C-alpha cells in the first residue's frame, strides 16, 4: 500500500532536488504557461507543494523554511490549510508583510548558493524581470528560470488536458473570426507591430469563436495563437480538433500546428517585429522571440470586453434563465429552511441550486465553484464547502451564496446574502451598509472613459464612516460564455486605469466580513450603457443584468436614503416583470412577495 504523501514529504523531495541543482530556494506561482487565473490540474504546482488550494498565491520554499503569500480573500482559508505545516502565511497588503524578494534576502543571507529557481514556462515575463531586479538588490541573488523540479518529484502529475474543441455559433458570437483577426491586425498596425503571440486562453477562444473544456468552469482550450501580416497559426494538440473544426479554421484562414511547436514558430517568425504582452506571455517564450519585441498590452484584452449586440442579447437571455433558477431556489430554501425533518447544509443547498440551473436551456455548467458560506463561514471571502467543513443551516443568521453558471449564450455571476431567521442588530446594520454601497454603484453616472477606481469609493463611503472595509475589488468584467473574471477593467481601490466603456459588463459586489462571526456580500452583473450627452461629452450608467430579488428582511430601512429605497423598489419591480411570465403560479406568488416595495 502506497504511503500518502504529506506536505512535509513533498518539501523534503523538493529540497533534495534543490541541493542537486545548487539552488537555495524555489518559487511556485499560481499560474500556467498562459497566465490563466484558473489553471488545469497539471499546472497546480503551488497547490501540490503547499496544500493551499486558493486561486491566488505564491509559495516559496528554501532549504530551511517555507512561506506562502496570498490576498485577503484567502487569509482565513490559508491559515486553516497551512496549519500543521512549516509554511508561514504572508498576508499581502498588510503592514509588515515582506515582499518575496525581501524575505528571500533574509532567509538566504547565510547560504553559499544564493540562487533561486522559478519555472519560466509558468511565469509571466514581466513578473520574472521584476523579480530578477528585486533579487539582485537583495545582495546579488540570481534567478534561474529553466528548471521545473515538479517534473521529477510530482510522480502522478496529471497530463495536459485534451478535451475536444467546439465551434461557437455566430448567433451567440456576433462577429466572424476572420473579421476579429482583421480588427486585431489593424490594432497591431496602430501599435507599429507586424504580428503578435497570443497566449491568454480566453483571448484565443474569443478570437477564433471556439470553446473548449480544458479548465474547470472555464470553456477554454490549451493553445497559443501566432498572428503575422499574412498568416495565423493555432498551436494546439491536434487530437482536440474534429474534422469539422479543422475545416472551419481553414475557412477562417487559420493554420494548425502542434502545441509544443510554438517555440519553433517563434524562431521561424519572419516579420520585422512582434507584439508580446509581457503580462500574458511566459518568460521562456518571451526569451524565445527572435525578432524585435513590441512590449505592449495585447489589444485583444480590451476588444473582447466591449460586447456586440449578439453578445449583449446572449447575456440578457442567460440572466433570464439564471433568474428563473434563482427564484425557484430561493422559494425552495424559504420553504425548507425551517423543516425539522430535513437537514440542509452548505453543500446540499449548493447542489440544489446547480440542479435547478441545469434544468435551464443551454446550461453548460457552473462558472466557478459555488461559495455557500453559512454563519462564520460567510466571513471567508472565497470559502468553498468540503465534506469536512460542511455545516448544517439553522433557522437563524445569514447564508452568503455566491454562484454563477455558464450558458451557451452567456456567463452569470451573482451573490445574495440570505436571512435564514432572526438576526443580530450588527448583522442587520452591516447588511444595510453593504446594500447602500451596492446601490450607490448601480445609481452612478459617469463620463465615458472614467476608470472603475474613480467609482469605487461610492461602494465604500457608508461603511468607511463606521470603520468598516473590504479588501477585495468591488467589481470585475464578465466574459461571454468565457471566463467569469475578465479584464482589464475593474472597480477597486487600487489604481486600475482601464476605462469603462459602453458595452462592457462588470459586477457590483461590495461586502463586509467579520472573522468568526459572519459575512455579507451583494452582487449583480451590470452592463455599461449610454446615459446622456452634454457639452462635457457622453455620460454612462449601469444597467443591472442580474434578475433576482435582494433580501429585504435584514434591512434597517432608516439607514437607506430615499433615492436608495426608490432604486431598490424599481429594481424589484423590473425583476418581477421580467421573470413572472416564465414562472408557475407558486413561484410567481413567492416572487411577488419577495419584490414587495419598501415604500407602500
Amino acid at each position: 500500500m502506497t504511503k500518502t504523501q504529506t506536505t512535509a514529504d513533498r518539501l523534503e523531495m523538493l529540497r533534495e532536488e534543490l541541493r542537486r541543482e545548487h539552488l537555495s530556494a524555489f518559487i511556485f506561482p499560481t499560474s500556467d504557461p498562459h497566465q490563466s487565473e484558473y489553471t488545469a490540474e497539471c499546472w497546480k504546482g503551488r497547490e501540490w507543494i503547499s496544500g493551499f488550494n486558493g486561486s491566488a498565491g505564491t509559495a516559496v520554499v528554501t532549504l530551511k523554511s517555507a512561506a506562502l503569500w496570498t490576498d485577503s480573500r484567502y487569509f482565513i482559508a490559508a491559515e486553516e490549510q497551512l496549519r500543521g505545516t512549516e509554511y508561514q502565511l504572508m498576508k499581502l497588503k498588510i503592514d509588515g508583510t515582506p515582499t518575496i524578494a525581501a524575505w528571500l534576502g533574509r532567509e538566504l543571507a547565510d547560504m553559499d548558493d544564493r540562487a533561486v529557481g522559478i519555472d519560466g514556462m509558468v511565469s509571466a515575463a514581466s513578473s520574472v524581470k521584476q523579480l530578477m531586479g528585486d533579487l539582485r538588490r537583495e545582495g546579488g541573488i540570481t534567478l534561474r528560470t529553466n528548471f521545473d523540479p515538479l517534473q521529477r518529484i510530482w510522480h502522478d502529475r496529471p497530463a495536459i488536458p485534451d478535451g475536444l474543441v467546439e465551434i461557437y455559433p455566430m448567433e451567440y458570437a456576433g462577429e466572424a473570426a476572420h473579421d476579429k483577426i482583421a480588427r486585431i491586425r489593424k490594432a497591431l498596425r496602430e501599435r507599429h507591430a507586424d504580428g503578435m503571440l497570443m497566449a491568454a486562453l480566453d483571448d484565443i477562444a474569443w478570437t477564433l469563436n471556439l470553446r473548449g473544456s480544458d479548465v474547470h468552469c472555464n470553456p477554454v482550450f490549451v493553445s497559443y495563437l501566432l498572428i503575422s501580416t499574412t498568416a495565423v497559426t493555432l498551436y494546439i494538440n491536434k487530437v482536440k480538433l474534429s474534422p469539422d473544426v479543422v475545416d472551419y479554421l481553414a475557412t477562417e484562414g487559420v493554420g494548425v500546428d502542434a502545441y509544443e511547436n510554438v517555440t519553433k514558430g517563434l524562431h521561424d517568425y519572419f516579420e520585422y517585429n512582434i507584439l508580446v504582452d509581457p503580462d500574458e506571455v511566459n518568460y521562456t517564450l518571451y526569451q524565445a522571440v527572435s525578432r524585435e519585441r513590441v512590449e505592449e498590452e495585447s489589444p485583444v484584452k480590451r476588444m473582447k470586453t466591449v460586447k456586440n449586440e449578439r453578445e449583449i442579447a446572449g447575456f440578457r437571455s442567460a440572466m433570464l434563465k439564471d433568474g428563473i433558477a434563482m427564484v425557484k431556489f430561493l422559494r425552495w430554501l424559504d420553504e425548507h429552511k425551517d423543516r425539522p425533518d430535513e437537514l440542509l447544509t452548505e453543500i446540499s443547498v449548493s447542489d440544489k441550486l446547480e440542479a435547478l440551473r441545469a434544468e435551464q436551456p443551454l446550461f453548460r455548467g457552473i462558472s466557478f465553484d459555488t461559495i455557500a458560506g453559512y454563519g462564520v463561514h460567510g466571513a471567508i471571502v472565497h470559502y468553498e464547502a468540503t465534506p469536512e467543513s460542511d455545516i448544517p443551516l439553522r433557522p437563524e443568521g445569514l447564508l452568503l451564496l455566491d454562484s454563477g453558471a455558464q450558458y451557451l449564450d452567456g456567463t452569470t455571476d451573482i451573490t445574495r446574502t440570505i436571512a435564514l431567521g432572526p438576526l443580530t442588530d450588527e448583522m442587520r446594520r452591516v447588511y444595510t451598509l453593504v446594500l447602500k454601497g451596492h446601490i450607490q454603484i448601480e445609481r452612478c453616472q459617469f463620463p465615458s472613459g472614467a476608470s472603475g477606481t474613480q467609482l469605487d469609493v461610492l461602494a465604500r463611503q457608508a461603511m468607511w464612516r463606521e470603520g468598516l472595509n473590504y479588501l477585495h475589488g468591488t467589481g470585475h468584467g464578465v466574459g461571454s460564455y468565457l471566463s467569469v473574471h475578465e479584464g482589464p477593467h475593474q472597480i477597486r481601490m487600487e489604481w486600475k486605469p482601464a476605462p469603462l466603456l459602453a458595452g462592457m459588463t462588470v459586477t457590483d459586489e461590495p461586502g463586509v466580513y467579520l472573522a468568526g462571526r459572519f459575512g455579507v456580500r451583494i452582487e449583480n452583473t451590470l452592463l455599461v450603457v449610454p446615459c446622456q450627452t452634454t457639452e462635457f461629452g457622453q455620460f454612462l450608467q449601469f444597467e443591472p443584468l442580474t434578475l433576482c430579488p435582494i433580501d429585504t428582511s435584514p434591512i434597517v430601512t432608516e439607514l437607506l436614503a430615499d433615492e436608495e429605497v426608490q432604486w431598490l423598489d424599481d429594481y424589484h419591480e423590473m425583476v418581477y416583470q421580467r421573470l413572472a411570465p416564465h414562472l408557475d403560479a407558486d413561484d410567481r406568488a413567492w416572487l411577488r412577495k419577495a419584490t414587495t416595495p419598501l415604500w407602500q
Side-chain angles (χ1 to χ4, degrees):
M1 182 182 201
T2 304
K3 177 179 176 289
T4 302
Q5 284 183 342
T6 65
T7 299
D9 295 332
R10 293 172 179 180
L11 289 175
E12 183 52 40
M13 288 192 296
L14 170 64
R15 285 166 176 151
E16 288 179 9
E17 296 300 328
L18 295 184
R19 295 184 190 99
R20 187 174 290 115
E21 296 292 330
H22 300 287
L23 292 171
S24 293
F26 205 87
I27 299 171
F28 297 89
T30 303
S31 57
D32 63 8
H34 308 273
Q35 305 313 302
S36 306
E37 178 183 14
Y38 300 103
T39 62
E41 295 297 320
C42 60
W43 286 303
K44 291 186 177 180
R46 186 227 62 210
E47 179 178 338
W48 186 85
I49 199 66
S50 70
F52 168 63
N53 65 3
S55 67
T58 303
V60 185
V61 181
T62 76
L63 294 176
K64 62 180 183 181
S65 57
L68 183 132
W69 282 255
T70 193
D71 60 51
S72 63
R73 296 173 296 168
Y74 296 108
F75 288 168
I76 298 174
E79 285 177 351
E80 193 170 300
Q81 293 178 10
L82 298 178
R83 188 175 294 120
T85 75
E86 63 179 275
Y87 278 96
Q88 178 182 357
L89 177 60
M90 300 292 186
K91 298 181 178 181
L92 289 170
K93 300 180 184 177
I94 299 298
D95 290 344
T97 299
T99 65
I100 290 173
W103 183 78
L104 282 170
R106 293 199 299 266
E107 293 295 305
L108 306 190
D110 60 350
M111 293 190 181
D112 295 330
D113 294 320
R114 292 176 58 78
V116 174
I118 191 170
D119 182 4
M121 275 300 292
V122 299
S123 305
S126 57
S127 62
V128 170
K129 291 194 293 181
Q130 177 68 46
L131 183 60
M132 284 178 170
D134 293 343
L135 290 173
R136 194 178 303 117
R137 287 185 285 274
E138 293 293 334
I141 299 173
T142 59
L143 185 67
R144 178 179 168 187
T145 63
N146 64 348
F147 172 58
D148 176 14
L150 296 177
Q151 291 182 341
R152 299 179 183 174
I153 64 176
W154 190 357
H155 301 304
D156 56 351
R157 187 175 189 174
I160 296 175
D162 57 3
L164 289 176
V165 171
E166 64 179 8
I167 300 168
Y168 192 51
M170 271 293 290
E171 64 181 293
Y172 307 125
E175 183 182 10
H178 62 266
D179 290 329
K180 292 180 179 179
I181 292 168
R183 279 209 289 146
I184 293 168
R185 284 183 169 134
K186 180 176 183 294
L188 292 174
R189 288 194 297 272
E190 292 169 353
R191 291 160 174 77
H192 305 288
D194 299 323
M196 72 172 291
L197 174 65
M198 200 181 303
L201 302 184
D202 56 340
D203 286 4
I204 297 170
W206 176 86
T207 299
L208 299 180
N209 290 339
L210 297 174
R211 297 295 188 266
S213 59
D214 284 349
V215 180
H216 178 56
C217 297
N218 293 267
V220 296
F221 47 94
V222 175
S223 60
Y224 295 98
L225 193 67
L226 184 61
I227 299 176
S228 69
T229 56
T230 59
V232 181
T233 304
L234 176 66
Y235 292 91
I236 189 171
N237 183 345
K238 295 181 182 180
V239 303
K240 302 160 71 70
L241 306 179
S242 68
D244 286 347
V245 173
V246 172
D247 292 343
Y248 160 78
L249 287 170
T251 63
E252 297 295 320
V254 180
V256 177
D257 201 348
Y259 178 69
E260 59 272 16
N261 286 346
V262 63
T263 303
K264 181 178 185 300
L266 289 171
H267 287 152
D268 295 342
Y269 178 82
F270 60 89
E271 307 277 11
Y272 173 73
N273 62 24
I274 183 170
L275 187 145
V276 178
D277 184 337
D279 293 331
E280 176 183 308
V281 174
N282 66 61
Y283 184 74
T284 299
L285 292 184
Y286 172 89
Q287 290 292 92
V289 171
S290 59
R291 299 291 178 172
E292 180 179 310
R293 302 185 196 94
V294 178
E295 296 190 32
E296 291 192 23
E297 178 186 88
S298 165
V300 181
K301 287 181 181 177
R302 300 187 185 227
M303 284 183 182
K304 77 177 188 299
T305 62
V306 178
K307 294 357 184 204
N308 60 47
E309 290 184 3
R310 292 284 183 88
E311 290 172 320
I312 292 172
F315 265 105
R316 297 191 195 284
S317 174
M319 296 292 176
L320 178 67
K321 293 189 284 283
D322 213 55
I324 292 169
M326 284 296 301
V327 167
K328 290 178 178 293
F329 169 79
L330 290 172
R331 178 192 161 208
W332 171 85
L333 180 63
D334 200 26
E335 294 177 347
H336 288 74
K337 64 184 180 182
D338 297 325
R339 292 187 180 180
D341 61 332
E342 187 169 1
L343 179 65
L344 301 184
T345 71
E346 294 167 327
I347 289 179
S348 70
V349 297
S350 176
D351 290 345
K352 178 65 176 181
L353 178 54
E354 183 174 349
L356 289 169
R357 281 186 165 125
E359 295 174 358
Q360 295 299 311
L362 305 183
F363 176 78
R364 291 300 186 92
I366 55 177
S367 56
F368 57 96
D369 290 316
T370 299
I371 299 167
Y374 173 62
V376 296
H377 287 165
I380 304 174
V381 180
H382 270 208
Y383 171 75
E384 182 185 344
T386 65
E388 293 74 29
S389 70
D390 189 27
I391 57 176
L393 309 186
R394 300 189 302 273
E396 62 182 23
L398 296 169
L399 170 67
L400 191 157
L401 188 64
D402 187 351
S403 65
Q406 295 285 10
Y407 301 95
L408 191 61
D409 49 1
T411 301
T412 70
D413 186 2
I414 174 177
T415 307
R416 291 294 183 263
T417 302
I418 306 153
L420 299 182
L423 305 178
T424 66
D425 289 343
E426 181 183 43
M427 290 174 180
R428 288 164 52 80
R429 190 169 189 85
V430 167
Y431 183 94
T432 308
L433 292 172
V434 171
L435 178 59
K436 285 173 71 70
H438 177 90
I439 293 173
Q440 287 302 319
I441 289 290
E442 298 226 13
R443 289 189 69 258
C444 73
Q445 298 178 7
F446 53 94
S448 178
S451 165
T453 303
Q454 295 165 312
L455 309 183
D456 182 81
V457 67
L458 297 174
R460 300 177 191 264
Q461 56 185 345
M463 59 181 72
W464 278 357
R465 292 190 191 106
E466 302 204 16
L468 299 171
N469 195 21
Y470 55 98
L471 298 182
H472 61 71
T474 300
H476 58 80
V478 180
S480 294
Y481 184 42
L482 269 176
S483 302
V484 73
H485 291 162
E486 184 175 88
H489 66 291
Q490 300 178 56
I491 303 175
R492 62 186 312 118
M493 286 196 300
E494 299 85 358
W495 174 238
K496 295 289 183 181
L500 293 171
L501 304 172
M504 287 181 168
T505 52
V506 66
T507 62
D508 171 18
E509 49 181 310
V512 170
Y513 313 93
L514 302 177
R517 285 178 278 173
F518 63 92
V520 175
R521 185 163 63 250
I522 301 170
E523 176 188 19
N524 279 353
T525 300
L526 316 176
L527 175 68
V528 182
V529 296
C531 172
Q532 60 178 323
T533 301
T534 74
E535 60 186 299
F536 298 99
Q538 185 182 64
F539 281 70
L540 305 174
Q541 62 185 8
F542 294 120
E543 174 194 330
L545 293 171
T546 300
L547 301 173
C548 179
I550 295 169
D551 194 351
T552 58
S553 64
I555 297 174
V556 181
T557 53
E558 55 266 31
L559 292 181
L560 293 184
D562 289 353
E563 63 186 20
E564 293 166 345
V565 174
Q566 187 64 62
W567 180 89
L568 186 59
D569 287 350
D570 290 345
Y571 173 72
H572 276 158
E573 184 59 25
M574 182 268 290
V575 168
Y576 180 80
Q577 294 299 330
R578 297 271 185 88
L579 294 181
H582 306 278
L583 301 172
D584 63 27
D586 290 337
D587 288 332
R588 190 163 55 248
W590 182 92
L591 180 61
R592 181 73 281 179
K593 182 179 178 182
T595 55
T596 300
L598 291 182
W599 276 348
Q600 298 191 68

